[in-house]
């Protein structure tokens, strides 16, 4: 049994469910036989990869689906060996250079340049160029991004790059100016519930409208997540009922509890307890920025408007520091301590104000 | 441009170095430009950015000082070490490549010019060995056909700002000592990343962002040669969102032209493809700030980010929008823009977009509600 989000992933432009206008645009560009470098960006679960596969399919046909995995090994100037895995077919190759951390520059310089330099042998039957898909471009270091610049221009005859990222903010302007940027917006709640219904019908399950809408809202407009939620509901019990509980990921509940704990009591003791819980979350590979956002959301729920902007500001500040630092726990803990401090001060000044009134 | 492989092994069989003469009709009209010659398959497959890259120094638009100096150099006067800097898409690389081609001609170009960019390894070792060795060769002042050509070689170091300080320092003496046989041309976006001893050894040229009228003119020429039909507003719109970046303008123009093949291009098509955030999204965000409700702001920001708009672009456009708001006093604008600068820096460092945007908009909200 495969996951529904993979099973029902559209393979051609005709099967797409939303953003049809954009799909049409991509189709016309591809139909002309050539295209510029693409920079595809959008939030996760909005269908960036799906669009890339559709694009490749429209270009090269079914051959794109016979994938193989290759391992490459390179040596950095400091004689350190790095390994990277690529997935590709005869026509394209997909690579995630940020897998190798700060050595991504070497991958860009070696791997991508060698691919770009080789030409297709039989260019009458195929396209004259290959496609290199680079994912998580926003995680690339500056050096690696600079390394892409001339490669993109020089070898434009033999390869095209499709860059995929969550946001263009972290992509240097020089690369942005070389690409055609395509924005993939997240599907709306209605679109999600429509797709859920479609999937449910194919699977032969009755899906109540209410439940579909609720999943749509819970998924935070992330289609992959919505489909996973639907599938877990379906494995829980069939037939689905209107008021069925939607299973939430454990870590979300855990994070919410942590936030509640912090909100209840502001003592050094609590910080220690919260620290343990945060360690637990980090150990389960929950990204720090997700923890930050989750904490902020929950903590602000029982705060005055006055405090809200102040706390948001501290959250932004500490999250920024976290990016520059290396150990996540320090910054998360610092944020919690700061929150407690602000909150308590506010409470005390309120209490003092009240006392004044009584005097 | 398959210059690279041929530089390394000059004895490649002809069929590999260039496309075989093959069945395609006569190779493109640009016979001596090996920039374009390598892709003779069909004109359409050449990106316009490459096709319309200036081929002579005199073709370079708007950068008068550089052009003046280089024209003199081409006429035979002394050639200084050069340092070009300026924002992307202003023609830095194009200028020096064009100059090199004019100086050395197509045959000598490969022997005399060494182009290193950040896609090549450029640590201190490469500078010490590869660059130094190349710089030490001396060359004669005649071409194979007897014509005059300058008796030096050219090393182009593109994207210098990504070179390490140590590598730059290693260049210092090399630049001076080999000045008899070699000229350097360094290209970068930010001159502040180049160490002082290097800048003082070079003639510096700043490449200005191109004027709108000049981009319009070029785009017009391209449209005429490529038979692209368009409304006049489409070009104006295109120029507006490129901010003096010629490459961006041409890339966009080609994309729009492909998308709307055989029809008249309108301003709306342009907007669709350039990824500018619609005005009403910005306006909406600003209005929400007026409401002084944190929850409303949070949901709006979340939705805007889910639409896929980049926080950096949002910040830029919000900045422009707020600048035009008469309701805000100078002091308030000052506070807001100071925050904008901080947030911009944080975003570049890779901080979370939602948190940073919320931080910025909270400041805006605070300032708005104070007035």
């Amino acid at each position: 049994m495969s996951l529904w989000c993979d099973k029902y992933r559209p393979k051609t432009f005709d099967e797409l469910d939303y953003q049809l206008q954009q799909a049409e645009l991509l189709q016309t560009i591809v139909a002309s036989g050539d295209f510029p470098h693409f920079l595809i960006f959008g939030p996760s679960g909005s269908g960036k990869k799906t669009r890339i596969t559709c694009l490749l399919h429209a270009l090269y046909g079914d051959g794109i689906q016979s994938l193989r995995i290759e391992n490459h090994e390179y040596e950095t100037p400091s004689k350190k060996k790095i390994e990277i895995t690529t997935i590709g077919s005869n026509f394209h190759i997909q690579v995630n250079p940020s897998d190798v951390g700060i050595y991504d520059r070497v991958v860009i310089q070696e791997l991508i340049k060698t691919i770009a330099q080789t030409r297709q042998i039989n260019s009458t039957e195929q396209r004259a160029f290959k496609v290199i898909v680079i994912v998580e471009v926003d995680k690339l270091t500056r050096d690696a991004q600079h390394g892409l610049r001339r490669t993109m221009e020089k070898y434009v005859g033999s390869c095209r790059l499709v860059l995929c990222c969550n946001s263009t903010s972290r992509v240097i302007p020089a690369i942005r100016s070389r690409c055609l940027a395509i924005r993939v917006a997240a599907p709306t709640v209605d679109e999600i519930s429509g797709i859920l219904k479609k999937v449910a019908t194919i699977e032969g399950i009755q899906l109540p409208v209410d439940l579909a809408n609720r999943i749509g809202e819970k998924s935070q407009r992330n289609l992959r997540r919505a489909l996973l939620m639907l599938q877990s509901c379906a494995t829980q019990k069939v037939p689905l009922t209107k008021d069925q509980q939607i299973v939430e990921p454990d870590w979300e509940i855990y994070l919410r509890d942590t936030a509640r704990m912090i909100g209840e009591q502001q003592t050094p003791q609590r910080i220690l307890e919260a620290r343990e819980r945060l360690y637990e979350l980090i150990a389960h590979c929950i990204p720090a920025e997700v923890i930050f956002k989750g904490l902020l959301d929950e903590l602000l729920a029982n705060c005055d408007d006055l405090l809200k902007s102040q706390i948001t500001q501290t959250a932004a500040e500490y999250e920024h520091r976290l990016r520059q630092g290396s150990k996540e726990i320090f910054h998360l803990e610092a944020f919690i301590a700061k929150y407690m401090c602000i909150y308590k001060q506010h409470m005390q000044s309120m209490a003092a104000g009240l006392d004044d009134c009584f005097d | 441009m398959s210059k690279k492989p041929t530089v390394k092994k000059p004895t490649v069989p002809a069929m590999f170095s260039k496309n075989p003469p093959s069945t395609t009709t006569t190779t493109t009209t640009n016979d001596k430009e090996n920039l374009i010659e390598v892709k003779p398959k069909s004109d359409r497959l050449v990106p316009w950015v490459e096709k319309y890259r200036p081929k002579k120094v005199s073709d370079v638009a708007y950068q008068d000082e550089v052009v003046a100096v280089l024209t003199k150099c081409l006429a035979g006067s002394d050639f200084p070490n050069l340092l070009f800097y300026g924002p992307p898409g202003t023609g830095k690389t194009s200028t020096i490549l064009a100059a090199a081609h004019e100086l050395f001609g197509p045959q000598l170009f490969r022997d005399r010019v060494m182009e290193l960019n950040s896609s090549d390894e450029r640590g201190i070792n490469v500078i010490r060995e590869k660059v130094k060795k190349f710089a030490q060769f001396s060359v004669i002042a005649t071409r194979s056909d007897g014509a005059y050509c300058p008796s030096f070689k050219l090393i182009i170091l593109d994207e210098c700002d990504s070179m390490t300080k140590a590598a730059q320092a290693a260049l210092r003496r090399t630049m001076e000592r080999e000045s008899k046989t070699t000229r350097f041309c360094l290209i970068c976006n930010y001159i502040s990343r180049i160490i002082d001893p290097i800048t003082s050894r070079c003639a510096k040229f700043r490449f200005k962002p191109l004027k709108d009228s000049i981009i319009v003119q070029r785009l017009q020429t391209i449209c005429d040669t490529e038979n692209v039909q368009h409304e006049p507003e489409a070009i104006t719109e295109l120029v507006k969102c490129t901010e003096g970046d010629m490459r961006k303008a041409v890339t966009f123009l080609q994309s729009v032209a492909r998308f709307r093949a055989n029809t008249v291009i309108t301003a709306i098509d342009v907007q669709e493809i350039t990824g500018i955030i619609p005005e009403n999204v910005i306006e909406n965000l600003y209005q929400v700030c007026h409401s002084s409700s944190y929850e409303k702001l949070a949901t709006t920001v979340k939705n805007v980010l889910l639409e896929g708009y980049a926080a950096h672009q949002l910040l830029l456009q919000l900045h422009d929008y707020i600048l035009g708001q008469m309701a805000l006093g100078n002091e308030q604008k000052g506070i807001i823009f100071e925050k904008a600068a901080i947030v911009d820096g944080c975003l570049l460092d890779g901080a979370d977009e939602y948190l940073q945007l919320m931080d910025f908009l909270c400041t805006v909200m605070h300032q708005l509600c104070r007035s």
Side-chain angles (χ1 to χ4, degrees):
Chain A
M1 196 179 100
S2 62
L3 291 175
W4 290 354
C5 53
D6 293 329
K7 199 168 159 191
Y8 296 104
R9 184 187 286 268
K11 293 200 179 59
T12 58
F13 280 119
D14 304 327
E15 293 169 31
L16 292 178
D17 290 297
Y18 54 95
Q19 289 172 8
L20 299 173
Q21 219 182 352
Q22 185 190 58
E24 200 185 315
L25 185 150
L26 289 173
Q27 236 167 339
T28 13
I29 290 181
V30 172
S32 67
D34 183 30
F35 62 88
H37 299 301
F38 276 124
L39 175 66
I40 296 182
F41 64 101
S44 48
S46 59
K48 299 182 293 293
K49 289 252 177 64
T50 309
R51 269 152 194 79
I52 294 176
T53 15
C54 292
L55 196 87
L56 291 171
H57 189 268
L59 267 177
Y60 298 108
D62 287 330
I64 214 75
Q65 272 146 24
S66 58
L67 294 172
R68 59 168 181 267
I69 295 177
E70 282 171 22
N71 271 314
H72 302 264
E73 201 171 273
Y74 295 104
E75 202 171 78
T76 62
S78 53
K79 303 279 181 260
K80 188 179 179 332
K81 284 214 168 62
I82 51 169
E83 270 178 57
I84 188 148
T85 318
T86 58
I87 306 171
S89 68
N90 288 333
F91 312 103
H92 84 290
I93 190 158
Q94 182 180 327
V95 61
N96 183 358
S98 54
D99 278 352
V100 289
I102 56 163
Y103 297 110
D104 50 2
R105 186 177 55 108
V106 185
V107 175
I108 299 277
Q109 284 175 346
E110 302 287 329
L111 175 72
I112 294 181
K113 240 171 107 179
T114 18
I115 299 170
Q117 279 171 352
T118 39
R119 298 164 154 274
Q120 295 284 60
I121 299 172
N122 191 354
S123 60
T124 44
E125 277 175 27
Q126 303 154 357
R127 309 273 169 188
F129 52 84
K130 270 179 289 186
V131 174
I132 304 176
V133 182
I134 305 178
V135 293
E136 294 187 16
V137 177
D138 43 357
K139 297 236 171 69
L140 290 185
T141 56
R142 283 289 152 79
D143 279 348
Q145 294 193 30
H146 280 295
L148 274 179
R149 295 169 54 168
R150 269 305 273 171
T151 312
M152 287 173 86
E153 283 185 343
K154 248 181 151 170
Y155 305 109
V156 79
S158 57
C159 84
R160 295 289 187 282
L161 295 183
V162 175
L163 311 174
C164 176
C165 63
N166 280 124
S167 159
T168 54
S169 298
R170 267 167 252 160
V171 181
I172 57 170
I175 290 196
R176 272 185 269 159
S177 106
R178 283 169 173 81
C179 298
L180 175 60
I182 303 277
R183 176 175 61 88
V184 184
T188 60
V189 175
D190 288 346
E191 280 164 348
I192 289 187
S193 59
I195 294 164
L196 291 181
K197 264 173 246 162
K198 197 173 120 191
V199 170
T201 344
I202 303 175
E203 283 287 321
I205 308 170
Q206 282 286 332
L207 177 67
V209 183
D210 278 7
L211 184 65
N213 287 340
R214 257 174 47 218
I215 293 180
E217 265 157 44
K218 264 268 160 63
S219 66
Q220 293 162 353
R221 296 175 64 184
N222 182 336
L223 187 56
R224 187 187 308 125
R225 205 163 173 201
L227 281 169
L228 287 172
M229 279 175 170
L230 178 67
Q231 193 168 14
S232 61
C233 283
T235 41
Q236 238 176 12
K237 70 170 179 187
V238 183
L240 299 166
T241 48
K242 223 163 65 174
D243 49 354
Q244 184 164 2
Q245 205 190 352
I246 301 167
V247 192
E248 278 180 83
D250 280 342
W251 63 267
E252 265 182 20
I253 302 167
Y254 196 78
L255 184 60
R256 207 174 304 145
D257 286 346
T258 316
R260 217 195 43 236
M261 255 174 52
I262 300 165
E264 273 168 4
Q265 205 181 358
Q266 290 83 34
T267 53
Q269 188 62 36
R270 268 293 145 95
I271 299 186
L272 273 179
E273 283 169 38
R275 181 198 176 110
E276 248 163 56
R277 296 181 73 101
L278 288 177
Y279 252 131
E280 190 79 2
L281 281 171
I282 293 173
H284 284 85
C285 295
I286 308 294
E289 75 260 24
V290 175
I291 301 182
F292 253 112
K293 271 189 272 188
L295 276 181
L296 185 69
D297 267 355
E298 294 299 324
L299 288 177
L300 288 184
N302 52 357
C303 271
D304 275 6
D305 268 356
L306 254 177
L307 284 182
K308 274 176 186 164
S309 59
Q310 200 185 346
I311 291 170
T312 314
Q313 204 172 337
T314 35
E317 188 189 332
Y318 284 103
E319 203 270 340
H320 173 231
R321 279 194 202 165
L322 181 144
R323 290 285 163 174
Q324 295 178 317
S326 59
K327 205 142 164 68
E328 292 164 346
I329 190 78
F330 294 152
H331 306 276
L332 283 166
E333 213 180 10
F335 170 62
I336 291 172
K338 184 84 183 172
Y339 166 80
M340 286 184 172
C341 183
I342 294 174
Y343 189 79
K344 210 157 192 185
Q345 260 172 10
H346 181 71
M347 281 312 190
Q348 273 165 358
S349 68
M350 288 259 287
L354 281 179
D355 284 347
D356 286 346
C357 289
F358 286 128
D359 292 342
Chain B
M1 297 198 278
S2 69
K3 267 178 316 204
K4 199 72 210 170
T6 36
V7 167
K8 280 181 190 158
K9 316 174 249 179
T11 51
V12 226
M15 56 188 282
F16 286 125
S17 65
K18 274 168 204 160
N19 277 316
S22 81
T23 53
T24 45
T25 51
T26 52
T27 43
T28 39
T29 45
N30 334 296
D31 42 7
K32 60 175 183 297
E33 264 310 318
N34 62 356
L35 286 171
I36 288 167
E37 192 187 32
V38 281
K39 288 161 274 169
K41 228 187 149 233
S42 79
D43 266 355
R44 208 186 41 174
L45 283 183
V46 183
W48 293 353
V49 187
E50 294 299 328
K51 195 167 165 188
Y52 294 97
R53 209 180 255 284
K55 298 190 183 68
K56 285 194 207 124
V57 175
S58 50
D59 286 348
V60 175
Y62 197 55
Q63 316 294 355
D64 304 324
E65 298 91 347
V66 189
V67 173
V69 169
L70 282 179
T71 333
K72 266 202 191 130
C73 295
L74 288 175
S77 72
D78 194 32
F79 198 94
N81 286 326
L82 297 169
L83 174 62
F84 292 170
Y85 64 102
T90 46
K92 299 180 295 295
T93 313
S94 303
T95 309
I96 192 64
L97 282 180
H101 273 284
E102 280 193 67
L103 271 175
F104 301 114
Q107 273 105 43
L108 276 177
F109 184 84
R110 285 187 187 140
D111 301 335
R112 293 286 179 91
V113 179
M114 178 183 199
E115 195 190 340
L116 285 175
N117 52 53
S118 45
S119 71
D120 305 298
E121 183 51 48
R122 273 194 314 195
I124 184 162
N125 282 331
V126 175
I127 297 291
R128 276 186 189 148
E129 314 214 333
K130 217 166 143 192
V131 173
K132 217 169 143 186
K133 253 189 202 139
F134 183 78
Q136 277 166 348
F137 286 112
S138 56
V139 286
I140 48 168
T142 47
R143 290 186 195 178
S144 48
D145 55 359
Y148 167 80
C149 87
S151 63
F152 56 79
K153 298 173 306 302
L154 188 63
I155 297 183
I156 304 173
L157 291 169
D158 209 342
E159 294 143 25
C160 261
D161 22 17
S162 65
M163 271 168 75
T164 57
K165 287 255 154 73
Q168 291 184 28
L171 264 183
R172 294 164 56 169
R173 264 314 269 169
T174 315
M175 271 174 102
E176 278 179 352
R177 204 166 41 210
E178 315 301 340
S179 59
K180 267 207 184 110
T181 54
T182 308
R183 295 290 180 280
F184 286 83
C185 177
L186 287 77
I187 302 177
C188 64
N189 287 129
Y190 306 102
I191 197 167
S192 52
R193 307 244 173 96
I194 307 292
I195 56 172
D196 284 343
I198 297 276
T199 49
S200 77
R201 282 172 173 79
C202 299
K204 280 180 287 194
F205 292 102
R206 183 178 128 77
F207 280 63
K208 310 171 280 246
L210 284 95
K211 258 209 186 119
D212 287 1
S213 57
I214 288 178
I215 302 188
V216 169
Q217 204 187 329
R218 284 277 157 128
L219 291 182
Q220 206 74 49
T221 335
I222 295 177
C223 283
D224 292 345
T225 15
E226 296 286 338
N227 275 328
V228 179
Q229 295 160 345
H230 59 88
E231 288 178 354
E233 294 86 58
I235 296 280
T236 330
E237 186 68 34
L238 201 60
V239 171
K240 209 172 77 184
C241 58
T242 50
E243 292 155 359
D245 185 339
M246 181 71 96
R247 174 174 45 221
K248 217 181 195 174
V250 177
T251 312
F252 282 154
L253 179 68
Q254 189 174 18
S255 311
V256 181
R258 279 221 191 93
F259 170 44
R260 288 272 174 235
N262 306 324
T263 46
V264 178
I265 295 168
T266 61
I268 297 162
D269 296 335
V270 174
Q271 267 175 353
E272 212 166 288
I273 218 154
T274 47
I276 295 271
I277 300 167
E279 195 73 355
N280 59 350
V281 174
I282 304 288
E283 222 171 270
N284 186 23
L285 268 176
Y286 187 74
Q287 290 310 325
V288 171
C289 286
H290 262 299
S291 75
S292 85
S293 147
Y294 183 89
E295 282 74 23
K296 242 170 135 181
L297 183 66
T299 34
T300 323
V301 171
K302 263 183 202 155
N303 276 328
V304 169
L305 285 181
L306 277 176
E307 283 299 315
Y309 297 117
H312 194 249
Q313 182 70 27
L314 267 173
L315 194 68
L316 281 179
Q317 285 187 251
L318 270 170
H319 169 265
D320 289 347
Y321 186 82
I322 291 172
L323 195 64
Q325 291 302 312
M326 288 307 153
L328 284 164
N330 278 338
E331 192 199 332
Q332 289 162 320
K333 279 184 191 170
I335 296 172
I336 292 175
F337 292 157
E338 192 187 356
K339 191 77 198 177
I342 295 171
V343 167
D344 184 52
C346 291
L347 279 177
L348 280 183
D349 284 339
D352 188 77
E353 302 200 322
Y354 169 73
L355 291 176
Q356 293 298 333
L357 260 191
M358 280 307 286
D359 187 10
F360 175 65
L361 288 172
C362 276
T363 319
V364 176
M365 192 160 92
H366 193 69
Q367 293 304 321
L368 273 175
C369 296
R370 220 183 55 173
S371 60

